[in-house]
Amino acid sequence: MTRAFAPGLTTALTAVALAGFTGAAAAGPGPDEDQLVINGEIEIVTEAEAPAHMEYVDTVYSGWRFRSDETQAVQMDDFDNPAMIWVENAMEDWETVEGAAGESCASCHGDVEELRGVRAVYPKWNEEAGEVRTLEMQINDCRETRMEAEPWKYSGGDMINMTALIASVSRGMPVNVAIDGPAQSTWEQGQELYYTRFGQLELSCANCHEDNYGMMIRADHLSQGQINGFPTYRLKNTKLNSVHARFRGCIRDTRAHTFAEGSPEFVALELYVASRGNGLSVEGPSVRN
Amino acid sequence: MADGVKPRVKVPKTAAAGEAITIKTLISHKMESGQRKDGDGNTIPRSIINRFVVDFNGENVIDVTLEPAISTNPYFEFEATVPESGEFTFKWFDDDGSVYEETKAVEVG
């Protein structure tokens, strides 16, 4: 009798142990419950109801929620956020006259605060050009046509600093890119790319960031791949990283030939991925692993 | 003076008497170690911040010796007790002889 009872007891104990383990695991790689307030005043929405167009996800989370407390803390104070050094550098560029027209950013736009809200709606349809433009494309258009200056390299240092500056004044505002009207076909192209498997590993964006977010990818927490926090200061390379550089890295990791930064494919993908974060706050420049 | 050097300091504007306040400092500086070589194999000369001193109303708070292994943009965070209202003076000493200075006043209410 004792022997017959023993397996039952073992099973019960295993069940308890497993339940305990599963509970701990759920609190591990998935999004945590922390709230993000920057400088004690800018409240950031890091969790929102998924936009209507997303079929397979109910709640969208900022990548901040997937990071460790230590990494999260660095973003909570601009003094600690290393990205702010480059934001200050961009502030100098903002006021620097360049090009044949003798203009600076400030000569048209005045204070950079005037661009509050811009980051939240880009990429955006440009009626005159008849195309969807990223913030980088718009900055270079300003440089070429208004300032008559040399365009910056798409993911070059000057460019990324400027996007960080422009993002920083929109922090706390909800991402709200338009996906209908003239932007719709570009958005659909982006969606197509998001679900297309690339490379020798045959992975689409969705395979990781939709099907498996909240799991571990080797030693790292897999987030939803939201881009509301870009440009992002990454601890792994101690510099600011642009959205397109990140796309390139992801596609490279699938062992595929990647698209170029600033290519029509990446512009479409950026619009689509940005629209998956509609409702989250603009967070850039953020701090991530 | 080395290029792009800019001191930054964060000190609370007000404090209670005897309270330990947190002070954060950062100076953007390339901190060239003197160990590296350029493309032609020539040693890039050492250029670092070698000393960092903080005083409060003339009294020394901390005095730090920095060595070449300290990375770019050195950051120091420390606590200091403030007995009365006064001024913190921050000084960074560069290898090239430059001294970068910053002051911050604290009101004790």
Side-chain angles (χ1 to χ4, degrees):
Chain A
M1 284 305 285
T2 333
R3 285 181 69 92
F5 179 69
L9 180 66
T10 317
T11 314
L13 280 174
T14 316
V16 169
L18 270 177
F21 178 74
T22 318
D32 64 12
E33 295 300 319
D34 294 340
Q35 297 298 311
L36 174 54
V37 179
I38 298 172
N39 300 333
E41 56 182 26
I42 308 173
E43 289 182 13
I44 302 287
V45 175
T46 55
E47 177 176 343
E49 195 186 331
H53 68 79
M54 285 170 75
E55 284 180 61
Y56 309 108
V57 176
D58 296 327
T59 310
V60 290
Y61 299 98
S62 160
W64 185 84
R65 295 275 294 274
F66 294 81
R67 305 275 70 99
S68 69
D69 287 350
E70 294 81 358
T71 309
Q72 287 179 334
V74 181
Q75 199 187 319
M76 295 175 82
D77 184 342
D78 280 354
F79 197 90
D80 295 343
N81 185 342
M84 298 317 280
I85 291 176
W86 290 292
V87 167
E88 282 181 23
N89 290 349
M91 201 59 231
E92 285 170 24
D93 286 343
W94 179 264
E95 283 159 5
T96 305
V97 172
E98 251 190 282
E103 308 265 17
S104 67
C105 306
S107 14
C108 287
H109 296 290
D111 194 278
V112 68
E113 290 285 339
E114 298 290 320
L115 294 193
R116 182 167 158 77
V118 168
R119 175 68 271 181
V121 296
Y122 269 82
K124 186 184 172 189
W125 175 258
N126 184 301
E127 190 60 51
E128 217 170 292
E131 62 180 3
V132 170
R133 278 190 177 165
T134 61
L135 193 53
E136 284 89 342
M137 291 160 79
Q138 193 55 52
I139 290 169
N140 264 345
D141 183 66
C142 268
R143 287 184 63 81
E144 286 183 287
T145 57
R146 308 265 179 196
M147 296 166 69
E148 295 171 37
E150 286 291 310
W152 280 329
K153 188 168 173 277
Y154 196 89
S155 281
D158 294 327
M159 177 63 88
I160 209 164
N161 294 351
M162 187 56 73
T163 60
L165 172 66
I166 293 171
S168 72
V169 297
S170 292
R171 283 182 298 177
M173 297 181 75
V175 175
N176 185 22
V177 294
I179 63 172
D180 51 3
Q184 194 179 347
S185 64
T186 308
W187 180 81
E188 281 167 358
Q189 188 198 351
Q191 186 183 37
E192 176 83 30
L193 284 164
Y194 191 87
Y195 288 100
T196 302
R197 289 171 181 266
F198 287 102
Q200 291 177 323
L201 297 183
E202 297 189 2
L203 287 170
S204 73
C205 306
N207 290 143
C208 287
H209 295 292
E210 183 168 276
D211 303 341
N212 286 301
Y213 71 85
M215 311 278 272
M216 301 297 283
I217 181 164
R218 301 186 73 177
D220 200 3
H221 296 191
L222 195 46
S223 76
Q224 288 185 341
Q226 296 288 353
I227 57 171
N228 60 312
F230 275 83
T232 288
Y233 177 85
R234 297 191 66 190
L235 303 176
K236 72 170 262 186
N237 59 14
T238 63
K239 68 182 185 74
L240 278 172
N241 295 264
S242 71
V243 174
H244 288 202
R246 181 63 273 199
F247 286 169
R248 211 162 54 99
C250 265
I251 295 191
R252 177 205 59 212
D253 291 347
T254 71
R255 301 186 191 164
H257 285 291
T258 83
F259 301 103
E261 289 162 12
S263 64
E265 289 84 358
F266 274 173
V267 172
L269 185 60
E270 182 177 343
L271 175 62
Y272 176 70
V273 176
S275 79
R276 291 175 69 93
N278 274 353
L280 295 173
S281 297
V282 174
E283 224 182 89
S286 63
V287 179
R288 303 284 188 262
N289 292 34
Chain B
M1 176 174 156
D3 287 342
V5 178
K6 188 176 169 192
R8 298 168 177 81
V9 176
K10 188 171 181 181
V11 180
K13 288 192 178 64
T14 56
E19 182 193 354
I21 58 169
T22 301
I23 294 171
K24 296 175 176 181
T25 74
L26 183 149
I27 186 160
S28 48
H29 193 284
K30 59 184 187 313
M31 297 291 279
E32 187 61 56
S33 70
Q35 304 286 333
R36 301 197 307 156
K37 292 190 167 68
D38 65 15
D40 301 325
N42 302 314
T43 304
I44 305 170
R46 176 182 132 159
S47 168
I48 67 167
I49 301 280
N50 56 46
R51 187 174 172 219
F52 172 54
V53 179
V54 180
D55 293 339
F56 182 71
N57 289 347
E59 192 191 339
N60 184 248
V61 181
I62 58 167
D63 191 336
V64 186
T65 303
L66 287 82
E67 303 290 351
I70 292 176
S71 53
T72 312
N73 305 339
Y75 173 91
F76 288 101
E77 179 179 327
F78 56 94
E79 287 187 344
T81 46
V82 282
E84 75 249 340
S85 296
E87 197 170 66
F88 280 99
T89 315
F90 304 83
K91 279 185 189 164
W92 291 262
F93 297 82
D94 197 308
D95 272 351
D96 65 12
S98 313
V99 180
Y100 315 107
E101 243 186 283
E102 182 83 10
T103 57
K104 287 280 175 187
V106 183
E107 192 76 35
V108 171

